[in-house]
Amino acid sequence: MKLQILKYELKKIFYKKSSIISLAVLGICMGFMLFSCLSEISYTDAEGNHINGIKAVRLLKSEKMQWNGIISPETVRKVITKNSAINSNSQYKGMKESDIKLSNMQYSRKQGFMDIRELINLSYGEVHSYDYYLIDRLSPDVANTFYTNRVGQIKTLATSQEADYLTKNEKNYLINSAQTLFTPFNYSYADGWLNALERSATVLFALAFVICILLAPIFSVEYQTCCDAILLSTEHGKRKGIVYKLIAGLLSASLVYWITAGVVYCFMFTVFGVEGGDCPIQASFSGWKSFYHVTNIQSFWMVLILGYVGCMFIGSLTMFLSSKVKTSFATIILIFIFIMVPATIGKSLITESVWNKIIDILPHQMLLGWNIFRTYILYDIGGKVVTPYEVLPVLYGTLAVILLPFAYNSFRKHKIA
């Protein structure tokens, strides 16, 4: 009997036209994202011809894996020397910007060590800019300062005007994190993990809104169809009926979240591979300045778990609003405003540190995915500095649970028209 009630509530959630359309749109969006992810990969052969798609992934992977290993000063020196040797090749002397074919042929010889080349450019470049050709002007003799340069950059960032929103303790935390990060980095081809991380925000925001659309009618549909009077006229309806609605809501949100994430990321790892999971996130272009001491695989699971907590909170909030607002459309609009407005405003429009701190703790932060690792979001609580991964799951996981009895009582005690 209990299982039948749960199945019935799940059917009511998934069989609605709005649910079917939103899930179909989610599938199309995820498919387009995966196609875009794959089509962006390009490999240049020795003749200067571009190859795209799965074949490009396989060829590029083969080239990059030849450079797997520790990024020691000797490795940095080797990359600088090899880059210089390619540039000095008589075949490319006097090459003009209009010589596209020749330029592609030169690039084809560098693409295997391009990841390490980018890290060298970051290490020896300016904090707020990136010079693609910087390595062309470097001497192998500077290789020993590769890691100390990064510490200096973090110190510069922590004391710059753009870090004024950080407290003194938070700035010290950043600097200490840079100084204590284990070096030398272990490098490996890791395009599977990096692609999964860099597209995580798209996946999480899409899932959050689909879950909102699925759960918005969970109570409001009873009001709109006048079935609330029937449901609340029985003892079981007043109690177990509402409880099973809440359970079905959380279960459907969990199913949509993990099935979608499983399909999307299984596709990515099948195509790009799972190599490089044990490498630190700082061994990649987008993770170079991150203060987190985690590997690619650890950051991936941190993103997934935080995103799940965020979606569960949004699911609970949606069900609560559905019991209060009584219309699905109004519930969806309120959730959209609550999530998207803070995410859209951005810190560039709000310079006061107090407002920055408020934005940093709002629920949309849990949906930012990889972007959290790339920004300096910290919380100074009584002199102890903690990260979003220590605060947000506890805060919004607790709120998600607290909202459930409020949704229960709101629907149970409302006045029947």
PDB file of all heavy atoms in Angstrom, residues 10 13-14 23 26 207-208 210-212 214-215 246-263 304 307-316 319:
ATOM      1  N   LEU A  10       4.905   9.639  -7.615  1.00  0.00           N
ATOM      2  CA  LEU A  10       5.986   9.775  -8.606  1.00  0.00           C
ATOM      3  C   LEU A  10       5.416   9.913 -10.016  1.00  0.00           C
ATOM      4  O   LEU A  10       5.910  10.706 -10.822  1.00  0.00           O
ATOM      5  CB  LEU A  10       6.927   8.569  -8.538  1.00  0.00           C
ATOM      6  CG  LEU A  10       7.862   8.501  -7.321  1.00  0.00           C
ATOM      7  CD1 LEU A  10       8.573   7.164  -7.264  1.00  0.00           C
ATOM      8  CD2 LEU A  10       8.872   9.644  -7.356  1.00  0.00           C
ATOM      9  N   ILE A  13       4.239  13.350 -10.640  1.00  0.00           N
ATOM     10  CA  ILE A  13       5.344  14.298 -10.886  1.00  0.00           C
ATOM     11  C   ILE A  13       5.862  14.168 -12.313  1.00  0.00           C
ATOM     12  O   ILE A  13       6.005  15.172 -13.025  1.00  0.00           O
ATOM     13  CB  ILE A  13       6.489  14.054  -9.867  1.00  0.00           C
ATOM     14  CG1 ILE A  13       6.060  14.475  -8.467  1.00  0.00           C
ATOM     15  CG2 ILE A  13       7.747  14.833 -10.282  1.00  0.00           C
ATOM     16  CD1 ILE A  13       7.037  14.092  -7.366  1.00  0.00           C
ATOM     17  N   PHE A  14       6.120  12.940 -12.751  1.00  0.00           N
ATOM     18  CA  PHE A  14       6.793  12.736 -14.035  1.00  0.00           C
ATOM     19  C   PHE A  14       5.866  12.729 -15.246  1.00  0.00           C
ATOM     20  O   PHE A  14       6.311  12.946 -16.362  1.00  0.00           O
ATOM     21  CB  PHE A  14       7.598  11.429 -14.005  1.00  0.00           C
ATOM     22  CG  PHE A  14       8.852  11.512 -13.193  1.00  0.00           C
ATOM     23  CD1 PHE A  14       8.957  10.843 -11.975  1.00  0.00           C
ATOM     24  CD2 PHE A  14       9.936  12.271 -13.618  1.00  0.00           C
ATOM     25  CE1 PHE A  14      10.117  10.913 -11.218  1.00  0.00           C
ATOM     26  CE2 PHE A  14      11.095  12.353 -12.875  1.00  0.00           C
ATOM     27  CZ  PHE A  14      11.187  11.675 -11.666  1.00  0.00           C
ATOM     28  N   LEU A  23      12.092  17.773 -19.073  1.00  0.00           N
ATOM     29  CA  LEU A  23      13.075  16.690 -19.159  1.00  0.00           C
ATOM     30  C   LEU A  23      13.589  16.525 -20.583  1.00  0.00           C
ATOM     31  O   LEU A  23      14.785  16.258 -20.796  1.00  0.00           O
ATOM     32  CB  LEU A  23      12.459  15.382 -18.669  1.00  0.00           C
ATOM     33  CG  LEU A  23      12.202  15.286 -17.160  1.00  0.00           C
ATOM     34  CD1 LEU A  23      11.399  14.044 -16.826  1.00  0.00           C
ATOM     35  CD2 LEU A  23      13.513  15.306 -16.377  1.00  0.00           C
ATOM     36  N   LEU A  26      15.946  19.351 -21.142  1.00  0.00           N
ATOM     37  CA  LEU A  26      17.193  19.046 -20.421  1.00  0.00           C
ATOM     38  C   LEU A  26      18.053  18.093 -21.241  1.00  0.00           C
ATOM     39  O   LEU A  26      19.269  18.307 -21.382  1.00  0.00           O
ATOM     40  CB  LEU A  26      16.872  18.425 -19.058  1.00  0.00           C
ATOM     41  CG  LEU A  26      18.078  17.936 -18.245  1.00  0.00           C
ATOM     42  CD1 LEU A  26      18.955  19.103 -17.828  1.00  0.00           C
ATOM     43  CD2 LEU A  26      17.614  17.151 -17.020  1.00  0.00           C
ATOM     44  N   LEU A 207      19.973  21.379 -14.062  1.00  0.00           N
ATOM     45  CA  LEU A 207      19.308  20.424 -13.185  1.00  0.00           C
ATOM     46  C   LEU A 207      18.463  21.125 -12.130  1.00  0.00           C
ATOM     47  O   LEU A 207      17.340  20.689 -11.823  1.00  0.00           O
ATOM     48  CB  LEU A 207      20.340  19.519 -12.511  1.00  0.00           C
ATOM     49  CG  LEU A 207      20.898  18.388 -13.363  1.00  0.00           C
ATOM     50  CD1 LEU A 207      22.093  17.734 -12.687  1.00  0.00           C
ATOM     51  CD2 LEU A 207      19.818  17.347 -13.635  1.00  0.00           C
ATOM     52  N   ALA A 208      18.985  22.212 -11.576  1.00  0.00           N
ATOM     53  CA  ALA A 208      18.255  22.936 -10.537  1.00  0.00           C
ATOM     54  C   ALA A 208      16.914  23.450 -11.058  1.00  0.00           C
ATOM     55  O   ALA A 208      15.879  23.327 -10.380  1.00  0.00           O
ATOM     56  CB  ALA A 208      19.099  24.099 -10.019  1.00  0.00           C
ATOM     57  N   VAL A 210      15.210  22.339 -13.738  1.00  0.00           N
ATOM     58  CA  VAL A 210      14.328  21.224 -14.094  1.00  0.00           C
ATOM     59  C   VAL A 210      13.681  20.649 -12.833  1.00  0.00           C
ATOM     60  O   VAL A 210      12.472  20.352 -12.821  1.00  0.00           O
ATOM     61  CB  VAL A 210      15.109  20.134 -14.852  1.00  0.00           C
ATOM     62  CG1 VAL A 210      14.282  18.857 -14.956  1.00  0.00           C
ATOM     63  CG2 VAL A 210      15.477  20.617 -16.244  1.00  0.00           C
ATOM     64  N   ILE A 211      14.447  20.504 -11.773  1.00  0.00           N
ATOM     65  CA  ILE A 211      13.899  20.019 -10.503  1.00  0.00           C
ATOM     66  C   ILE A 211      12.832  20.970  -9.978  1.00  0.00           C
ATOM     67  O   ILE A 211      11.787  20.543  -9.465  1.00  0.00           O
ATOM     68  CB  ILE A 211      15.037  19.827  -9.474  1.00  0.00           C
ATOM     69  CG1 ILE A 211      15.875  18.597  -9.856  1.00  0.00           C
ATOM     70  CG2 ILE A 211      14.493  19.691  -8.056  1.00  0.00           C
ATOM     71  CD1 ILE A 211      17.153  18.441  -9.069  1.00  0.00           C
ATOM     72  N   CYS A 212      13.074  22.258 -10.134  1.00  0.00           N
ATOM     73  CA  CYS A 212      12.080  23.263  -9.734  1.00  0.00           C
ATOM     74  C   CYS A 212      10.778  23.083 -10.515  1.00  0.00           C
ATOM     75  O   CYS A 212       9.681  23.103  -9.941  1.00  0.00           O
ATOM     76  CB  CYS A 212      12.653  24.661  -9.952  1.00  0.00           C
ATOM     77  SG  CYS A 212      11.459  25.993  -9.705  1.00  0.00           S
ATOM     78  N   LEU A 214       9.700  20.361 -11.996  1.00  0.00           N
ATOM     79  CA  LEU A 214       9.084  19.088 -11.635  1.00  0.00           C
ATOM     80  C   LEU A 214       8.283  19.181 -10.337  1.00  0.00           C
ATOM     81  O   LEU A 214       7.195  18.605 -10.213  1.00  0.00           O
ATOM     82  CB  LEU A 214      10.164  18.009 -11.475  1.00  0.00           C
ATOM     83  CG  LEU A 214      10.867  17.494 -12.733  1.00  0.00           C
ATOM     84  CD1 LEU A 214      11.956  16.507 -12.348  1.00  0.00           C
ATOM     85  CD2 LEU A 214       9.887  16.841 -13.681  1.00  0.00           C
ATOM     86  N   LEU A 215       8.847  19.921  -9.356  1.00  0.00           N
ATOM     87  CA  LEU A 215       8.249  19.929  -8.021  1.00  0.00           C
ATOM     88  C   LEU A 215       7.302  21.102  -7.767  1.00  0.00           C
ATOM     89  O   LEU A 215       6.575  21.097  -6.765  1.00  0.00           O
ATOM     90  CB  LEU A 215       9.356  19.925  -6.956  1.00  0.00           C
ATOM     91  CG  LEU A 215      10.344  18.746  -7.010  1.00  0.00           C
ATOM     92  CD1 LEU A 215      11.273  18.786  -5.811  1.00  0.00           C
ATOM     93  CD2 LEU A 215       9.614  17.418  -7.071  1.00  0.00           C
ATOM     94  N   LEU A 246       6.121  14.568  -0.112  1.00  0.00           N
ATOM     95  CA  LEU A 246       7.458  15.099   0.171  1.00  0.00           C
ATOM     96  C   LEU A 246       8.540  14.076  -0.177  1.00  0.00           C
ATOM     97  O   LEU A 246       9.574  14.427  -0.761  1.00  0.00           O
ATOM     98  CB  LEU A 246       7.562  15.502   1.642  1.00  0.00           C
ATOM     99  CG  LEU A 246       6.655  16.662   2.087  1.00  0.00           C
ATOM    100  CD1 LEU A 246       6.705  16.829   3.596  1.00  0.00           C
ATOM    101  CD2 LEU A 246       7.059  17.960   1.394  1.00  0.00           C
ATOM    102  N   ILE A 247       8.289  12.816   0.186  1.00  0.00           N
ATOM    103  CA  ILE A 247       9.262  11.762  -0.135  1.00  0.00           C
ATOM    104  C   ILE A 247       9.405  11.621  -1.648  1.00  0.00           C
ATOM    105  O   ILE A 247      10.515  11.511  -2.183  1.00  0.00           O
ATOM    106  CB  ILE A 247       8.840  10.415   0.489  1.00  0.00           C
ATOM    107  CG1 ILE A 247       8.908  10.490   2.012  1.00  0.00           C
ATOM    108  CG2 ILE A 247       9.730   9.281  -0.026  1.00  0.00           C
ATOM    109  CD1 ILE A 247       8.347   9.272   2.719  1.00  0.00           C
ATOM    110  N   ALA A 248       8.271  11.624  -2.352  1.00  0.00           N
ATOM    111  CA  ALA A 248       8.299  11.505  -3.818  1.00  0.00           C
ATOM    112  C   ALA A 248       9.033  12.677  -4.443  1.00  0.00           C
ATOM    113  O   ALA A 248       9.769  12.519  -5.430  1.00  0.00           O
ATOM    114  CB  ALA A 248       6.871  11.429  -4.358  1.00  0.00           C
ATOM    115  N   GLY A 249       8.852  13.869  -3.876  1.00  0.00           N
ATOM    116  CA  GLY A 249       9.544  15.052  -4.393  1.00  0.00           C
ATOM    117  C   GLY A 249      11.051  14.928  -4.277  1.00  0.00           C
ATOM    118  O   GLY A 249      11.789  15.159  -5.243  1.00  0.00           O
ATOM    119  N   LEU A 250      11.525  14.532  -3.102  1.00  0.00           N
ATOM    120  CA  LEU A 250      12.968  14.373  -2.889  1.00  0.00           C
ATOM    121  C   LEU A 250      13.532  13.220  -3.716  1.00  0.00           C
ATOM    122  O   LEU A 250      14.638  13.322  -4.265  1.00  0.00           O
ATOM    123  CB  LEU A 250      13.252  14.141  -1.405  1.00  0.00           C
ATOM    124  CG  LEU A 250      12.928  15.303  -0.456  1.00  0.00           C
ATOM    125  CD1 LEU A 250      13.184  14.895   0.981  1.00  0.00           C
ATOM    126  CD2 LEU A 250      13.740  16.543  -0.808  1.00  0.00           C
ATOM    127  N   LEU A 251      12.768  12.134  -3.805  1.00  0.00           N
ATOM    128  CA  LEU A 251      13.227  10.979  -4.576  1.00  0.00           C
ATOM    129  C   LEU A 251      13.309  11.298  -6.063  1.00  0.00           C
ATOM    130  O   LEU A 251      14.291  10.936  -6.729  1.00  0.00           O
ATOM    131  CB  LEU A 251      12.283   9.795  -4.345  1.00  0.00           C
ATOM    132  CG  LEU A 251      12.640   8.486  -5.065  1.00  0.00           C
ATOM    133  CD1 LEU A 251      14.032   8.014  -4.674  1.00  0.00           C
ATOM    134  CD2 LEU A 251      11.607   7.409  -4.760  1.00  0.00           C
ATOM    135  N   SER A 252      12.308  11.984  -6.597  1.00  0.00           N
ATOM    136  CA  SER A 252      12.327  12.344  -8.021  1.00  0.00           C
ATOM    137  C   SER A 252      13.471  13.307  -8.325  1.00  0.00           C
ATOM    138  O   SER A 252      14.143  13.176  -9.356  1.00  0.00           O
ATOM    139  CB  SER A 252      10.993  12.965  -8.432  1.00  0.00           C
ATOM    140  OG  SER A 252      10.720  14.136  -7.685  1.00  0.00           O
ATOM    141  N   ALA A 253      13.714  14.256  -7.420  1.00  0.00           N
ATOM    142  CA  ALA A 253      14.828  15.187  -7.610  1.00  0.00           C
ATOM    143  C   ALA A 253      16.162  14.450  -7.605  1.00  0.00           C
ATOM    144  O   ALA A 253      17.047  14.721  -8.424  1.00  0.00           O
ATOM    145  CB  ALA A 253      14.810  16.256  -6.515  1.00  0.00           C
ATOM    146  N   SER A 254      16.305  13.482  -6.694  1.00  0.00           N
ATOM    147  CA  SER A 254      17.542  12.699  -6.609  1.00  0.00           C
ATOM    148  C   SER A 254      17.742  11.854  -7.866  1.00  0.00           C
ATOM    149  O   SER A 254      18.860  11.763  -8.395  1.00  0.00           O
ATOM    150  CB  SER A 254      17.502  11.782  -5.375  1.00  0.00           C
ATOM    151  OG  SER A 254      17.436  12.538  -4.186  1.00  0.00           O
ATOM    152  N   LEU A 255      16.660  11.228  -8.340  1.00  0.00           N
ATOM    153  CA  LEU A 255      16.757  10.407  -9.542  1.00  0.00           C
ATOM    154  C   LEU A 255      17.178  11.229 -10.751  1.00  0.00           C
ATOM    155  O   LEU A 255      18.075  10.832 -11.517  1.00  0.00           O
ATOM    156  CB  LEU A 255      15.414   9.727  -9.818  1.00  0.00           C
ATOM    157  CG  LEU A 255      15.021   8.578  -8.877  1.00  0.00           C
ATOM    158  CD1 LEU A 255      13.586   8.144  -9.127  1.00  0.00           C
ATOM    159  CD2 LEU A 255      15.970   7.396  -9.041  1.00  0.00           C
ATOM    160  N   VAL A 256      16.533  12.375 -10.933  1.00  0.00           N
ATOM    161  CA  VAL A 256      16.861  13.239 -12.072  1.00  0.00           C
ATOM    162  C   VAL A 256      18.307  13.712 -11.975  1.00  0.00           C
ATOM    163  O   VAL A 256      19.050  13.715 -12.974  1.00  0.00           O
ATOM    164  CB  VAL A 256      15.900  14.447 -12.140  1.00  0.00           C
ATOM    165  CG1 VAL A 256      16.394  15.488 -13.148  1.00  0.00           C
ATOM    166  CG2 VAL A 256      14.501  13.988 -12.516  1.00  0.00           C
ATOM    167  N   TYR A 257      18.724  14.086 -10.773  1.00  0.00           N
ATOM    168  CA  TYR A 257      20.090  14.604 -10.581  1.00  0.00           C
ATOM    169  C   TYR A 257      21.137  13.552 -10.917  1.00  0.00           C
ATOM    170  O   TYR A 257      22.028  13.775 -11.749  1.00  0.00           O
ATOM    171  CB  TYR A 257      20.279  15.082  -9.138  1.00  0.00           C
ATOM    172  CG  TYR A 257      21.628  15.717  -8.892  1.00  0.00           C
ATOM    173  CD1 TYR A 257      21.818  17.082  -9.059  1.00  0.00           C
ATOM    174  CD2 TYR A 257      22.731  14.952  -8.505  1.00  0.00           C
ATOM    175  CE1 TYR A 257      23.051  17.674  -8.851  1.00  0.00           C
ATOM    176  CE2 TYR A 257      23.966  15.524  -8.297  1.00  0.00           C
ATOM    177  CZ  TYR A 257      24.125  16.885  -8.473  1.00  0.00           C
ATOM    178  OH  TYR A 257      25.362  17.457  -8.276  1.00  0.00           O
ATOM    179  N   TRP A 258      21.046  12.386 -10.276  1.00  0.00           N
ATOM    180  CA  TRP A 258      22.113  11.395 -10.414  1.00  0.00           C
ATOM    181  C   TRP A 258      22.077  10.674 -11.755  1.00  0.00           C
ATOM    182  O   TRP A 258      23.135  10.325 -12.304  1.00  0.00           O
ATOM    183  CB  TRP A 258      22.064  10.402  -9.261  1.00  0.00           C
ATOM    184  CG  TRP A 258      22.484  11.025  -7.962  1.00  0.00           C
ATOM    185  CD1 TRP A 258      21.702  11.273  -6.878  1.00  0.00           C
ATOM    186  CD2 TRP A 258      23.793  11.531  -7.629  1.00  0.00           C
ATOM    187  NE1 TRP A 258      22.438  11.891  -5.885  1.00  0.00           N
ATOM    188  CE2 TRP A 258      23.715  12.060  -6.320  1.00  0.00           C
ATOM    189  CE3 TRP A 258      25.011  11.580  -8.306  1.00  0.00           C
ATOM    190  CZ2 TRP A 258      24.814  12.628  -5.675  1.00  0.00           C
ATOM    191  CZ3 TRP A 258      26.119  12.151  -7.672  1.00  0.00           C
ATOM    192  CH2 TRP A 258      26.011  12.664  -6.374  1.00  0.00           C
ATOM    193  N   ILE A 259      20.893  10.472 -12.312  1.00  0.00           N
ATOM    194  CA  ILE A 259      20.818   9.841 -13.634  1.00  0.00           C
ATOM    195  C   ILE A 259      21.387  10.768 -14.701  1.00  0.00           C
ATOM    196  O   ILE A 259      22.180  10.343 -15.559  1.00  0.00           O
ATOM    197  CB  ILE A 259      19.361   9.446 -13.978  1.00  0.00           C
ATOM    198  CG1 ILE A 259      18.915   8.280 -13.100  1.00  0.00           C
ATOM    199  CG2 ILE A 259      19.239   9.056 -15.453  1.00  0.00           C
ATOM    200  CD1 ILE A 259      17.456   7.907 -13.249  1.00  0.00           C
ATOM    201  N   THR A 260      21.006  12.039 -14.638  1.00  0.00           N
ATOM    202  CA  THR A 260      21.532  13.011 -15.611  1.00  0.00           C
ATOM    203  C   THR A 260      23.046  13.151 -15.475  1.00  0.00           C
ATOM    204  O   THR A 260      23.776  13.103 -16.472  1.00  0.00           O
ATOM    205  CB  THR A 260      20.868  14.387 -15.426  1.00  0.00           C
ATOM    206  OG1 THR A 260      19.454  14.258 -15.563  1.00  0.00           O
ATOM    207  CG2 THR A 260      21.388  15.381 -16.457  1.00  0.00           C
ATOM    208  N   ALA A 261      23.506  13.337 -14.239  1.00  0.00           N
ATOM    209  CA  ALA A 261      24.950  13.470 -14.009  1.00  0.00           C
ATOM    210  C   ALA A 261      25.684  12.209 -14.462  1.00  0.00           C
ATOM    211  O   ALA A 261      26.757  12.295 -15.084  1.00  0.00           O
ATOM    212  CB  ALA A 261      25.225  13.738 -12.530  1.00  0.00           C
ATOM    213  N   GLY A 262      25.109  11.052 -14.176  1.00  0.00           N
ATOM    214  CA  GLY A 262      25.735   9.790 -14.572  1.00  0.00           C
ATOM    215  C   GLY A 262      25.870   9.657 -16.076  1.00  0.00           C
ATOM    216  O   GLY A 262      26.936   9.293 -16.587  1.00  0.00           O
ATOM    217  N   VAL A 263      24.799   9.978 -16.799  1.00  0.00           N
ATOM    218  CA  VAL A 263      24.825   9.860 -18.265  1.00  0.00           C
ATOM    219  C   VAL A 263      25.812  10.860 -18.876  1.00  0.00           C
ATOM    220  O   VAL A 263      26.643  10.503 -19.725  1.00  0.00           O
ATOM    221  CB  VAL A 263      23.413  10.082 -18.849  1.00  0.00           C
ATOM    222  CG1 VAL A 263      23.475  10.193 -20.375  1.00  0.00           C
ATOM    223  CG2 VAL A 263      22.479   8.957 -18.438  1.00  0.00           C
ATOM    224  N   LEU A 304      30.072  17.632  -7.423  1.00  0.00           N
ATOM    225  CA  LEU A 304      28.846  16.844  -7.537  1.00  0.00           C
ATOM    226  C   LEU A 304      28.059  16.824  -6.233  1.00  0.00           C
ATOM    227  O   LEU A 304      26.827  16.972  -6.237  1.00  0.00           O
ATOM    228  CB  LEU A 304      29.181  15.410  -7.944  1.00  0.00           C
ATOM    229  CG  LEU A 304      29.272  15.101  -9.439  1.00  0.00           C
ATOM    230  CD1 LEU A 304      29.384  13.594  -9.640  1.00  0.00           C
ATOM    231  CD2 LEU A 304      28.068  15.623 -10.203  1.00  0.00           C
ATOM    232  N   GLY A 307      26.654  20.292  -5.452  1.00  0.00           N
ATOM    233  CA  GLY A 307      25.552  20.530  -6.381  1.00  0.00           C
ATOM    234  C   GLY A 307      24.305  19.755  -5.975  1.00  0.00           C
ATOM    235  O   GLY A 307      23.187  20.259  -6.093  1.00  0.00           O
ATOM    236  N   TYR A 308      24.498  18.536  -5.484  1.00  0.00           N
ATOM    237  CA  TYR A 308      23.360  17.723  -5.048  1.00  0.00           C
ATOM    238  C   TYR A 308      22.662  18.350  -3.843  1.00  0.00           C
ATOM    239  O   TYR A 308      21.429  18.424  -3.797  1.00  0.00           O
ATOM    240  CB  TYR A 308      23.832  16.315  -4.705  1.00  0.00           C
ATOM    241  CG  TYR A 308      22.734  15.413  -4.182  1.00  0.00           C
ATOM    242  CD1 TYR A 308      21.684  15.010  -5.019  1.00  0.00           C
ATOM    243  CD2 TYR A 308      22.740  14.967  -2.861  1.00  0.00           C
ATOM    244  CE1 TYR A 308      20.670  14.189  -4.539  1.00  0.00           C
ATOM    245  CE2 TYR A 308      21.726  14.146  -2.388  1.00  0.00           C
ATOM    246  CZ  TYR A 308      20.697  13.762  -3.225  1.00  0.00           C
ATOM    247  OH  TYR A 308      19.688  12.963  -2.750  1.00  0.00           O
ATOM    248  N   VAL A 309      23.458  18.810  -2.882  1.00  0.00           N
ATOM    249  CA  VAL A 309      22.882  19.484  -1.713  1.00  0.00           C
ATOM    250  C   VAL A 309      22.117  20.730  -2.162  1.00  0.00           C
ATOM    251  O   VAL A 309      21.011  21.003  -1.678  1.00  0.00           O
ATOM    252  CB  VAL A 309      23.978  19.864  -0.693  1.00  0.00           C
ATOM    253  CG1 VAL A 309      23.388  20.707   0.439  1.00  0.00           C
ATOM    254  CG2 VAL A 309      24.643  18.618  -0.127  1.00  0.00           C
ATOM    255  N   GLY A 310      22.693  21.465  -3.107  1.00  0.00           N
ATOM    256  CA  GLY A 310      22.025  22.654  -3.636  1.00  0.00           C
ATOM    257  C   GLY A 310      20.697  22.320  -4.286  1.00  0.00           C
ATOM    258  O   GLY A 310      19.685  23.006  -4.075  1.00  0.00           O
ATOM    259  N   CYS A 311      20.662  21.261  -5.072  1.00  0.00           N
ATOM    260  CA  CYS A 311      19.416  20.852  -5.748  1.00  0.00           C
ATOM    261  C   CYS A 311      18.387  20.331  -4.757  1.00  0.00           C
ATOM    262  O   CYS A 311      17.183  20.550  -4.938  1.00  0.00           O
ATOM    263  CB  CYS A 311      19.721  19.803  -6.814  1.00  0.00           C
ATOM    264  SG  CYS A 311      20.506  20.482  -8.298  1.00  0.00           S
ATOM    265  N   MET A 312      18.847  19.651  -3.699  1.00  0.00           N
ATOM    266  CA  MET A 312      17.912  19.194  -2.674  1.00  0.00           C
ATOM    267  C   MET A 312      17.312  20.369  -1.906  1.00  0.00           C
ATOM    268  O   MET A 312      16.123  20.364  -1.567  1.00  0.00           O
ATOM    269  CB  MET A 312      18.623  18.252  -1.687  1.00  0.00           C
ATOM    270  CG  MET A 312      18.971  16.893  -2.267  1.00  0.00           C
ATOM    271  SD  MET A 312      17.527  15.964  -2.864  1.00  0.00           S
ATOM    272  CE  MET A 312      17.647  16.311  -4.629  1.00  0.00           C
ATOM    273  N   PHE A 313      18.124  21.390  -1.657  1.00  0.00           N
ATOM    274  CA  PHE A 313      17.598  22.594  -1.002  1.00  0.00           C
ATOM    275  C   PHE A 313      16.571  23.281  -1.895  1.00  0.00           C
ATOM    276  O   PHE A 313      15.492  23.678  -1.425  1.00  0.00           O
ATOM    277  CB  PHE A 313      18.732  23.563  -0.668  1.00  0.00           C
ATOM    278  CG  PHE A 313      18.240  24.932  -0.261  1.00  0.00           C
ATOM    279  CD1 PHE A 313      17.686  25.126   0.996  1.00  0.00           C
ATOM    280  CD2 PHE A 313      18.297  25.997  -1.146  1.00  0.00           C
ATOM    281  CE1 PHE A 313      17.203  26.391   1.364  1.00  0.00           C
ATOM    282  CE2 PHE A 313      17.820  27.243  -0.793  1.00  0.00           C
ATOM    283  CZ  PHE A 313      17.267  27.447   0.470  1.00  0.00           C
ATOM    284  N   ILE A 314      16.898  23.411  -3.168  1.00  0.00           N
ATOM    285  CA  ILE A 314      15.964  24.031  -4.109  1.00  0.00           C
ATOM    286  C   ILE A 314      14.682  23.210  -4.216  1.00  0.00           C
ATOM    287  O   ILE A 314      13.579  23.764  -4.306  1.00  0.00           O
ATOM    288  CB  ILE A 314      16.635  24.205  -5.486  1.00  0.00           C
ATOM    289  CG1 ILE A 314      17.700  25.296  -5.399  1.00  0.00           C
ATOM    290  CG2 ILE A 314      15.610  24.555  -6.577  1.00  0.00           C
ATOM    291  CD1 ILE A 314      18.613  25.369  -6.582  1.00  0.00           C
ATOM    292  N   GLY A 315      14.811  21.883  -4.175  1.00  0.00           N
ATOM    293  CA  GLY A 315      13.635  21.021  -4.198  1.00  0.00           C
ATOM    294  C   GLY A 315      12.760  21.234  -2.985  1.00  0.00           C
ATOM    295  O   GLY A 315      11.525  21.359  -3.100  1.00  0.00           O
ATOM    296  N   SER A 316      13.368  21.302  -1.803  1.00  0.00           N
ATOM    297  CA  SER A 316      12.606  21.538  -0.571  1.00  0.00           C
ATOM    298  C   SER A 316      11.964  22.920  -0.579  1.00  0.00           C
ATOM    299  O   SER A 316      10.802  23.075  -0.180  1.00  0.00           O
ATOM    300  CB  SER A 316      13.526  21.399   0.649  1.00  0.00           C
ATOM    301  OG  SER A 316      13.979  20.077   0.801  1.00  0.00           O
ATOM    302  N   MET A 319       8.932  22.919  -2.917  1.00  0.00           N
ATOM    303  CA  MET A 319       7.750  22.281  -2.332  1.00  0.00           C
ATOM    304  C   MET A 319       7.120  23.161  -1.263  1.00  0.00           C
ATOM    305  O   MET A 319       5.888  23.233  -1.145  1.00  0.00           O
ATOM    306  CB  MET A 319       8.130  20.909  -1.765  1.00  0.00           C
ATOM    307  CG  MET A 319       8.466  19.877  -2.845  1.00  0.00           C
ATOM    308  SD  MET A 319       8.633  18.177  -2.238  1.00  0.00           S
ATOM    309  CE  MET A 319      10.208  18.283  -1.370  1.00  0.00           C
TER     310      MET A 319
END
